[in-house]
Amino acid sequence: MKRLHLALLQLKPGGSLSKNLEIGKTACARAKAQGADLALFPEMWSIGYDIYDRPVRDWICQGISKDDPFVQAFGKLAAELEMAVGITFLESWEGGPRNTLVLFDRHGRAVLHYSKVHTCDFDVERYLTPGEGFPVADLDTAAGVVKVGAMICYDREFPESARILMLEGAELILVPNACPMEINRLSQLRGRAFENMTAIATCNYPEGVPDCNGHSSVFDGIAFKETEDNYDMRILEAGGEEGIYLASLDLDALRSYRKAEAFGNAYRHPGKYGKLVEEEIREPFTRADYRA
């Protein structure tokens, strides 16, 4: 039985790049000691998603490149621990920084570089540069190669994000997050996992971090089991407290389920979905309509 052990680092940031590096490295070491094959950080860990309630000029300059010592330290650590690490950061970018995840495999190689596509343009994230697509990578783990993609926070509210990742072959979707994970957002994740037969692991900040409440989660993508009535695909939901939360993903069961069931790409009708990709966007309501 191939099992992938996931660690969700539901941590409070330390208020500086150097402190977040220190906290993050310690947490990764603890995750490995608990048997993790992959450790995931919440959204924009480099600055603790601290972009609200302060002037934009104060945080927009805090972007760092993927080659920055902060990011590369986690690549080196991944190799030392022989554990994959998904590190998140505000990435410097011409025209405005990006909200980015880099996934290092257990050999310290950067195999996935993803930037948030659906930036929250109704708020301060309008100063960010959106990512350009939804790549999927082959991640070498102790459980074998796993096809992994990512969504970041608001991305999960668009069904197209997970759908594209499924079509690209993703078995596991990583979701760094920074917002309240209440029943409706958790239900979104359940729906994305159900309809795409894809495991989804979400790491949020804990209570005490502004506008966050923990409840990091893992849905294994398996909606039905012949041996178990009313099977719950939510194999982990953390509480609000800070901590490292582990879940074990049964890759053999997921792959067998994906071969046997009729969701995902089985009976789609892409030729009938033209309106989804029309260049002209027709909005039935404006924000003014909603305010009225």
Side-chain angles (χ1 to χ4, degrees):
M1 181 184 296
K2 293 181 179 178
R3 285 191 170 273
L4 183 68
H5 302 288
L6 307 171
L8 306 180
L9 308 182
Q10 187 170 290
L11 307 172
K12 292 181 179 179
S16 70
L17 191 69
S18 60
K19 188 63 176 177
N20 289 342
L21 175 60
E22 178 186 343
I23 294 171
K25 290 176 68 174
T26 299
C28 285
R30 288 176 55 202
K32 177 62 179 182
Q34 295 176 47
D37 298 311
L38 188 161
L40 178 63
F41 283 88
E43 183 178 8
M44 214 185 287
W45 174 251
S46 65
I47 66 169
Y49 198 74
D50 184 15
I51 64 175
Y52 287 96
D53 299 324
R54 62 181 179 134
V56 172
R57 63 178 179 273
D58 287 358
W59 63 264
I60 205 167
C61 62
Q62 292 183 282
I64 57 177
S65 78
K66 62 182 177 60
D67 298 320
D68 188 89
F70 174 88
V71 179
Q72 293 304 312
F74 288 99
K76 181 180 179 181
L77 184 63
E80 291 173 354
L81 297 176
E82 297 185 352
M83 177 187 75
V85 176
I87 181 63
T88 61
F89 57 104
L90 180 67
E91 182 182 17
S92 57
W93 201 260
E94 184 178 354
R98 305 198 305 184
N99 185 339
T100 295
L101 162 80
V102 166
L103 177 62
F104 292 101
D105 71 9
R106 60 180 175 147
H107 308 291
R109 299 175 299 207
V111 297
L112 182 67
H113 181 191
Y114 172 71
S115 295
K116 186 176 186 176
V117 169
H118 299 98
T119 52
C120 298
D121 293 346
F122 51 83
D123 216 320
V124 295
E125 280 197 1
R126 63 183 177 275
Y127 296 102
L128 299 176
T129 299
E132 298 173 351
F134 295 93
V136 170
D138 289 335
L139 180 67
D140 182 19
T141 75
V145 174
V146 184
K147 289 189 174 296
V148 180
M151 308 184 291
I152 296 179
C153 200
Y154 192 46
D155 281 327
R156 64 178 151 62
E157 300 197 17
F158 295 83
E160 295 86 353
S161 306
R163 183 63 88 186
I164 291 171
L165 289 167
M166 178 276 293
L167 292 173
E168 293 293 337
E171 299 173 293
L172 169 64
I173 300 175
L174 304 177
V175 187
N177 199 81
C179 74
M181 293 307 298
E182 35 70 51
I183 187 170
N184 297 305
R185 289 187 174 110
L186 288 167
S187 297
Q188 282 181 329
L189 294 167
R190 183 186 294 274
R192 300 293 90 84
F194 181 106
E195 64 205 14
N196 293 298
M197 299 191 294
T198 304
I200 298 182
T202 302
C203 185
N204 196 28
Y205 287 101
E207 294 173 347
V209 175
D211 206 34
C212 294
N213 69 338
H215 291 270
S216 298
S217 64
V218 179
F219 294 88
D220 69 5
I222 300 173
F224 309 109
K225 281 191 175 181
E226 293 182 359
T227 57
E228 188 172 340
D229 292 335
N230 299 317
Y231 177 72
D232 186 354
M233 71 169 70
R234 181 189 57 188
I235 60 174
L236 169 69
E237 182 182 342
E241 302 80 8
E242 182 177 28
I244 298 172
Y245 295 89
L246 276 82
S248 180
L249 182 63
D250 187 338
L251 294 173
D252 288 337
L254 175 60
R255 288 165 179 166
S256 295
Y257 177 80
R258 285 160 66 99
K259 289 178 181 179
E261 287 296 337
F263 304 109
N265 197 29
Y267 294 103
R268 294 172 64 246
H269 293 271
K272 300 177 182 179
Y273 305 153
K275 190 168 288 292
L276 292 176
V277 293
E278 286 181 357
E279 290 296 325
E280 181 183 356
I281 301 175
R282 300 183 181 91
E283 296 189 49
F285 300 102
T286 66
R287 290 181 196 167
D289 292 324
Y290 286 114
R291 286 196 295 269

